[in-house]
Amino acid sequence: MSLLNVQGLCKNYSAFHLEDVSFKLPKGFVMGYIGENGAGKTTTLNLITHLCRADHGTVTIDGISYENEPEKYLENIGFIGDESYFPGEFRMKDVKAVLKLMYPSFREDKFIAMTTQWNLPEKTKIQNYSRGMKVKLMFASVLCRDTKLLILDEATNGLDPVMRAEIIEILQEYIMDGEHSILFSTHVLSDLEQIADYIVFIHQGKILLNQTKEELLESYVMIHGDSGDLTKEKEKKIIGLTRSAYGFDGILNSADAEGFGREFLIENATIDQIMLHYIKNGGK
């Protein structure tokens, strides 16, 4: 069963149009939502969290829409962005007071246990927390509530590898019971290589790819070689062909790789490489 169901989302601004964005995220899974800056990732997340209204389309979380049950819909969402949403002048007691006021399912005992485990100082102002401390505080504020969908918007940006590994463990625990799901928008695509089950790639307001991670990585390979060895027929099959003084590179549909000889180096492609070369190819 789908936990998150996004159907036909459209949002028109003067300089940007989000067009017919649709995808489904099953319970117990992680979806990576990728694309370059300005592709429409944050606009999509803002429509799901209802920070802005869609011109067309629908969103349901666990079968609930904002229009029918707004409080329950929002209670189902836990959001963590790339910057702390708590005022810098707040201390831990202020954070607890706000969470108590805003969320009926807030569990103070769980919040205290998590912040104690992560050594977050109670009397220090949030503005004096490190980047990692602020991220942990946001996670504690979300995980002490009865959320269903965790939405991450560049939440691991700027974190050191040790901290990112801790966050990955937290995310894996969140979905372990098969009732929770994560929508993870990030430029740190190596994180998605570890944890994502599905990849949705948006470019210029339109969905280009929507596959399981395994299907995506099996569908494409990276190719390198000498430009002089390329025929026009072979060149047409390469997505996002990039030439340099040292030769060329690009990506191929895996099914086309057999048509290239031993003079070309063909290897597994990463999610980062697939996205980059699709963008270089104008999203085609």
Side-chain angles (χ1 to χ4, degrees):
M1 178 181 175
S2 295
L3 180 73
L4 174 64
N5 191 349
V6 177
Q7 292 296 322
L9 278 190
C10 299
K11 184 67 179 179
N12 294 313
Y13 296 104
S14 57
F16 175 78
H17 305 288
L18 192 76
E19 300 181 37
D20 195 27
V21 167
S22 300
F23 55 83
K24 294 181 179 182
L25 174 56
K27 289 184 176 183
F29 291 91
V30 179
M31 176 177 285
Y33 197 48
I34 67 173
E36 74 276 31
N37 288 333
K41 302 189 302 298
T42 297
T43 298
T44 306
L45 300 187
N46 287 345
L47 295 173
I48 293 172
T49 56
H50 234 262
L51 290 176
C52 61
R53 296 285 186 92
D55 296 328
H56 301 285
T58 61
V59 180
T60 58
I61 299 174
D62 206 20
I64 298 167
S65 69
Y66 179 87
E67 290 73 18
N68 291 335
E69 298 182 74
E71 290 185 8
K72 194 170 182 180
Y73 177 93
L74 294 176
E75 181 74 8
N76 279 335
I77 298 174
F79 176 84
I80 300 171
D82 63 341
E83 293 184 9
S84 173
Y85 36 65
F86 297 114
E89 293 295 316
F90 271 28
R91 291 181 170 86
M92 192 73 75
K93 63 181 179 62
D94 303 308
V95 173
K96 285 190 288 187
V98 168
L99 293 174
K100 280 182 183 180
L101 183 65
M102 292 184 64
Y103 300 106
S105 67
F106 171 68
R107 286 182 51 193
E108 185 174 358
D109 58 337
K110 188 173 183 180
F111 179 80
I112 292 172
M114 295 184 75
T115 55
T116 301
Q117 177 187 345
W118 291 335
N119 298 314
L120 299 182
E122 288 190 33
K123 297 181 180 180
T124 302
K125 291 183 178 180
I126 304 303
Q127 63 192 16
N128 295 322
Y129 275 24
S130 68
R131 162 73 174 147
M133 286 179 177
K134 290 176 181 177
V135 171
K136 285 181 175 179
L137 180 60
M138 288 191 287
F139 268 99
S141 72
V142 165
L143 298 178
C144 67
R145 302 192 284 112
D146 292 334
T147 59
K148 293 281 190 178
L149 174 67
L150 186 56
I151 297 178
L152 307 181
D153 189 9
E154 306 296 347
T156 57
N157 280 7
L159 299 178
D160 63 60
V162 174
M163 180 66 202
R164 292 220 318 273
E166 285 185 47
I167 296 301
I168 295 298
E169 287 185 16
I170 292 169
L171 299 181
Q172 289 171 332
E173 290 175 6
Y174 181 78
I175 62 169
M176 194 174 293
D177 65 356
E179 292 296 318
H180 300 80
S181 300
I182 299 170
L183 180 61
F184 195 169
S185 173
T186 182
H187 286 106
V188 187
L189 300 187
S190 58
D191 289 344
L192 298 183
E193 299 264 4
Q194 294 184 61
I195 196 172
D197 302 292
Y198 297 88
I199 299 292
V200 174
F201 174 24
I202 186 169
H203 177 66
Q204 296 181 351
K206 297 179 181 179
I207 299 295
L208 289 188
L209 298 170
N210 184 353
Q211 296 177 275
T212 68
K213 182 183 67 180
E214 286 73 18
E215 288 172 343
L216 179 67
L217 294 176
E218 288 173 4
S219 296
Y220 299 95
V221 292
M222 194 76 187
I223 183 168
H224 313 268
D226 189 324
S227 296
D229 293 328
L230 274 179
T231 64
K232 289 185 177 179
E233 182 179 351
K234 285 185 170 66
E235 187 174 328
K236 289 178 182 178
K237 294 180 179 180
I238 299 174
I239 301 167
L241 177 68
T242 303
R243 300 179 188 271
S244 71
Y246 304 99
F248 76 90
D249 59 40
I251 57 171
L252 280 175
N253 284 299
S254 297
D256 292 330
E258 292 182 3
F260 289 76
R262 293 183 178 179
E263 64 271 27
F264 300 101
L265 173 62
I266 294 175
E267 57 188 3
N268 293 334
T270 65
I271 297 172
D272 205 357
Q273 289 169 333
I274 295 169
M275 185 183 81
L276 173 63
H277 285 280
Y278 255 99
I279 292 170
K280 286 183 177 180
N281 208 53
K284 298 179 182 179

